[in-house]
Amino acid sequence: MRYPLSEHDYGAHPAVLPPDDPTRHDGDAVPLPVRLDLYRKMQEMRLFEKRAYDLFMRQLVKGTSHLSLGMEAIAAGFGAALRADDLTFATYRGHAHTLARGVPMTPVLAELLGRSNGLMGGKGGSMHLTSVEHGVLGSYAIIGAHLTIANGAAWSAQYRGSGQVTVCFFGDGTTNIGAFHEALNYAAVFQLPVVFVCENNLYMEYTPIADITAVPRPAADRSSAYGLDPVAIDGNDADEVYLTATTAVQRARAGGGPSLIEAVTYRHGGHSRADPGKYRPADEVEAWKRYDPITVYRGRLQRLGIDQASMDRIDKEVAAEVDRATEEAIAGDLPSPATALTELWADGGSSWHN
Amino acid sequence: MAQLTYRNAVARGIAQEMRRDERVVLIGEDVAGAGGVFKTTEGLLDEFGPRRVVDTPISEQAILGAAMGAAMTGLRPVAEIMFADFFAVCWDIVANQIAKTRYMTNGQVTVPLVIKSGNGGSLRFGAQHSQSVENWAMAVPGLKVVTPATPRDVVGLMAAAVRSDDPVLFFEHKGLYAMKSEVPDGEIVDELGKAVIRRAGTDATILSLGLTVGRALDAAAQLASSGIEAEVIDVRSLVPLDIRTILASLNKTGRLFTVEENPRLLGWGAEIASIVADEGFWDLDGPVQRITTPYIPLPAADSLEDLVIPSADLVAATVTKALRS
Ligand SMILES: Cc1ncc(C[n+]2csc(CCOP(=O)(O)OP(=O)(O)O)c2C)c(N)n1
Ligand SMILES: [Mg+2]
């Protein structure tokens, strides 16, 4: 028998540090327009979520909120690798993945604020962002479930011959629930056009993943059980993510079946709400904040000859967009009371007897 | 007209819909090559091929998740959960995912799927392969819930379930699989939310579902010989519920009995009794009486199982006592 917390105090586990060379991917074959787009997208996610956090602290965003500050390279890299009609499934930590598909900021923010101009009229909230017209087939808040649902979307695409690829994002902690294993076997058996992306931010809620997982790499070390190649990448380098995503998505589209990708990353903040994340070693937090995906990318663009001023201009444009979205979201009406009873059934209502 | 078993009617109903609509597909454990552990899907692989009739691993969450994702993106899957007891291992997908997603997305997503499952007791399978779980499903907003009691209704309600744009839990009663009766030729399509009066009467209304329909009819025959004319209603669809047919019958008879296979607490009859207390109180000449399996898991031994699932004798005795006192 082994008890992790008899081997180390809570929060005093060994730090896991990021890669130390941010220039590794400077020479990768990513076209400059894609790179500029990746930069802008990450900045949109960053500034949007910072604003969401402010609004949460002002108690305008109610309930809960799970930010992916520090994890933007994964959402941006995959977003850029997808076709407009591809399908994505995210978790409660899904703001960035929703923006990555081109969903405008205003309805997303308004949904967080519980307004009628929210993406789902206020009925879903921050954990269930969905925009079918953008291929965002939902954000799911019960660990593991959406991996199985993503399989269904992939199966349907294969059956209909649409050529769509499904991408499903989830956390490291999710690799320990049964649905993960059911879904991977299922996808492998039927060779579904689906890409599973484990965003390994080293923690499930408040417990380090290494303390409660049988293998060091929660996703990559499980892949062989499903006949898949182990793929573990730097999830803070948008180019590495983008190139990995492009390969996996092309493979799926060409009939090559599923992939499982573990993208190692880190969240700057806590798990949710106002959690300060104090259960993490200070040197670990510091190192990952330095290895921030946006800082890494800015450095790269600079080395590739993009001047500071044009990047500052992007930042400014994005900031203005966030301000505008904030105003529009706050100006939104509360949902009309009647909507509490609509859209249970396909006929739009919720009646259960005649 | 041909005689058809309840189990063969399941395959006929699915085949009817698969012929009509290319989007209808069937998945589940042993449903294709083996034709189903209860032989309810026999012949479908031969007619529709391995692309539309698919054997899956023992992964109930993966099966229902696949059905849901496919339903969200244009297919109309029928998925099998072999024994209804097994819903417990995939209830997240049913209750949190399939049922809630349309509402949470404010109508962006529809989930037109059918989950068919072998439900109920009387086969001596013991506590983990026998229970009636319609009331689990009824408790979750967003699921339609039907239980056919005859081979003809199996076909008609399966067609209605497949054509429904909402998720439907289709409870086949395992104790009825061998039942054989006349089923009309040609396409049969019912409507969800319609109860059927199986026997007309004036003295008491007996509500029944699945296995208990036959038992209620047997009870009514016994009662008739002692001069009590009971009206037997086959509820068929719990969600949506045809409360109008039930209230109209009560208005005529003045007494209401429910015959439920589920354990007592929160069975479907309890909800009906509560509506009747609201809307039918002045029609009641006596209390509503629920005849249910007691508050226990089902025992395996035939003598014990027969003792606890409501029998025709128990129904007849309960009605007689109530009307004669
Ligand atoms: C089935 C289930 N169990 C527990 C939870 C509570 N919970 C919410 S998030 C979370 C941690 C998940 O960790 P991970 O998969 O690493 O994702 P992350 O939050 O780090 O992105 C837990 C345990 C849940 N939502 N669902
Ligand atoms: Mg995590």
Side-chain angles (χ1 to χ4, degrees):
Chain A
M1 191 70 218
R2 164 182 176 262
Y3 298 100
L5 289 182
S6 52
E7 290 172 12
H8 62 76
D9 285 343
Y10 185 55
H13 50 280
V16 178
L17 299 177
D20 46 19
D21 176 14
T23 68
R24 292 176 344 274
H25 292 286
D26 283 6
D28 283 1
V30 180
L32 195 57
V34 173
R35 279 188 155 137
L36 286 170
D37 184 50
L38 285 170
Y39 178 77
R40 177 185 291 268
K41 269 276 169 317
M42 287 195 287
Q43 213 39 294
E44 285 174 8
M45 296 160 184
R46 173 67 52 93
L47 298 184
F48 177 91
E49 284 209 306
K50 283 188 157 173
R51 179 58 52 83
Y53 183 76
D54 293 344
L55 296 174
F56 182 81
M57 297 314 274
R58 284 171 56 195
Q59 293 178 15
L60 282 165
V61 173
K62 315 265 169 61
T64 189
S65 109
H66 303 77
L67 305 179
S68 49
L69 293 170
M71 301 166 58
E72 294 89 348
I74 302 171
F78 270 89
L82 294 179
R83 211 165 80 177
D85 66 341
D86 285 336
L87 305 168
T88 48
F89 288 76
T91 70
Y92 49 87
R93 200 180 300 289
H95 304 155
H97 291 297
T98 305
L99 298 176
R101 302 303 309 281
V103 181
M105 287 182 188
T106 298
V108 179
L109 202 52
E111 185 64 31
L112 270 50
L113 293 168
R115 304 298 161 115
S116 63
N117 54 338
L119 201 51
M120 296 96 80
K123 288 163 81 169
S126 81
M127 297 204 280
H128 300 295
L129 299 173
T130 304
S131 181
V132 172
E133 62 166 307
H134 295 92
V136 179
L137 281 201
S139 308
Y140 297 79
I142 311 288
I143 297 298
H146 69 304
L147 281 82
T148 71
I149 305 166
N151 274 342
W155 169 39
S156 159
Q158 194 181 55
Y159 186 91
R160 291 179 289 109
S162 68
Q164 292 160 294
V165 172
T166 298
V167 181
C168 179
F169 303 94
F170 53 92
D172 44 283
T174 303
T175 64
N176 289 328
I177 203 165
F180 167 87
H181 298 275
E182 286 195 18
L184 274 150
N185 181 62
Y186 200 96
V189 166
F190 297 110
Q191 286 293 291
L192 298 176
V194 60
V195 180
F196 292 109
V197 184
C198 175
E199 301 179 291
N200 180 4
N201 59 15
L202 312 181
Y203 292 83
M204 58 144 285
E205 279 183 342
Y206 316 113
T207 300
I209 194 66
D211 272 5
I212 39 85
T213 306
V215 290
R217 299 182 302 175
D221 290 340
R222 262 76 175 256
S223 57
S224 67
Y226 306 106
L228 302 174
D229 293 333
V231 182
I233 64 167
D234 176 359
N236 276 21
D237 190 307
D239 286 338
E240 184 164 344
V241 173
Y242 171 75
L243 292 173
T244 309
T246 304
T247 306
V249 168
Q250 273 170 3
R251 206 170 95 93
R253 211 181 309 284
S259 322
L260 173 60
I261 294 164
E262 177 175 330
V264 182
T265 182
Y266 206 74
R267 49 172 156 76
H268 284 180
H271 166 68
S272 67
R273 298 167 58 95
D275 166 30
K278 289 287 189 222
Y279 41 83
R280 304 183 300 179
D283 54 335
E284 184 182 273
V285 176
E286 271 320 299
W288 282 94
K289 280 195 172 161
R290 275 195 309 276
Y291 195 70
D292 170 60
I294 296 180
T295 312
V296 166
Y297 218 64
R298 239 187 119 97
R300 175 162 311 148
L301 288 177
Q302 220 178 327
R303 288 189 295 279
L304 294 173
I306 306 294
D307 60 5
Q308 295 276 9
S310 37
M311 288 188 278
D312 290 346
R313 192 164 55 245
I314 293 176
D315 296 357
K316 231 187 235 124
E317 285 166 13
V318 171
E321 201 186 336
V322 171
D323 285 341
R324 191 167 53 246
T326 308
E327 278 166 34
E328 289 172 357
I330 290 177
D333 292 329
L334 297 181
S336 104
T339 61
L341 300 182
T342 62
E343 298 299 353
L344 179 68
W345 304 126
D347 69 7
S350 61
S351 78
W352 59 276
H353 65 71
N354 58 4
Chain B
M1 281 294 233
Q3 290 273 323
L4 197 63
T5 59
Y6 187 101
R7 78 174 82 246
N8 290 335
V10 175
R12 174 165 153 192
I14 296 170
Q16 172 185 300
E17 295 308 297
M18 289 185 78
R19 277 179 213 127
R20 184 184 60 82
D21 187 345
E22 183 75 24
R23 298 169 302 170
V24 182
V25 288
L26 172 69
I27 59 172
E29 294 158 24
D30 297 322
V31 298
V37 291
F38 301 116
K39 301 290 172 210
T40 60
T41 54
E42 235 171 13
L44 297 177
L45 174 67
D46 288 343
E47 181 171 354
F48 301 103
R51 204 172 142 261
R52 296 183 69 192
V53 182
V54 183
D55 280 330
T56 67
I58 311 167
S59 303
E60 277 76 9
Q61 296 189 74
I63 293 167
L64 295 190
M68 175 176 169
M72 289 166 72
T73 52
L75 301 192
R76 301 184 85 90
V78 178
E80 177 172 292
I81 295 299
M82 192 185 290
F83 284 79
D85 312 67
F86 307 166
F87 272 116
V89 304
C90 52
W91 201 238
D92 171 46
I93 309 293
V94 179
N96 281 317
Q97 314 301 337
I98 289 171
K100 291 177 183 169
T101 294
R102 182 176 175 85
Y103 183 84
M104 293 194 306
T105 63
N106 203 21
Q108 286 185 52
V109 169
T110 48
V111 190
L113 59 80
V114 180
I115 307 172
K116 71 187 277 302
S117 191
N119 191 47
S122 79
L123 295 179
R124 312 359 182 158
F125 285 172
Q128 295 185 340
H129 288 74
S130 300
Q131 64 197 317
S132 272
V133 304
E134 292 100 334
N135 56 337
W136 297 6
M138 279 182 83
V140 180
L143 302 174
K144 297 202 160 158
V145 184
V146 300
T147 300
T150 68
R152 188 221 155 273
D153 276 11
V154 166
V155 180
L157 288 173
M158 178 60 81
V162 170
R163 294 180 197 198
S164 164
D165 288 332
D166 296 307
V168 180
L169 266 57
F170 187 90
F171 288 108
E172 298 157 13
H173 200 293
K174 297 196 294 293
L176 298 179
Y177 278 140
M179 171 191 201
K180 200 168 196 180
S181 63
E182 292 286 321
V183 178
D185 297 332
E187 188 177 85
I188 306 175
V189 188
D190 283 335
E191 213 181 306
L192 301 179
K194 286 268 177 285
V196 167
I197 297 173
R198 296 284 178 202
R199 177 188 177 115
T202 49
D203 301 328
T205 298
I206 305 177
L207 304 183
S208 57
L209 184 79
L211 181 78
T212 73
V213 173
R215 295 182 178 195
L217 286 168
D218 289 347
Q222 285 184 35
L223 290 165
S225 64
S226 59
I228 295 173
E229 288 303 328
E231 179 144 300
V232 175
I233 294 180
D234 174 356
V235 179
R236 299 208 309 165
S237 171
L238 295 171
V239 181
L241 180 70
D242 182 3
I243 195 69
R244 294 301 131 205
T245 296
I246 294 167
L247 288 170
S249 176
L250 171 64
N251 178 261
K252 187 169 65 169
T253 65
R255 292 304 299 255
L256 187 69
F257 300 83
T258 67
V259 192
E260 305 164 50
E261 189 179 333
N262 45 247
R264 180 140 194 115
L265 300 195
L266 303 174
W268 54 264
E271 189 57 53
I272 292 175
S274 111
I275 302 177
V276 165
D278 261 354
E279 296 189 38
F281 185 76
W282 304 109
D283 287 334
L284 284 170
D285 296 332
V288 176
Q289 277 187 265
R290 295 178 59 212
I291 303 158
T292 73
T293 296
Y295 178 61
I296 49 166
L298 282 177
D302 49 359
S303 60
L304 294 177
E305 194 182 33
D306 287 344
L307 195 68
V308 297
I309 299 179
S311 64
D313 288 348
L314 177 66
V315 174
T318 307
V319 174
T320 303
K321 185 162 171 238
L323 265 61
R324 292 277 145 83
S325 61

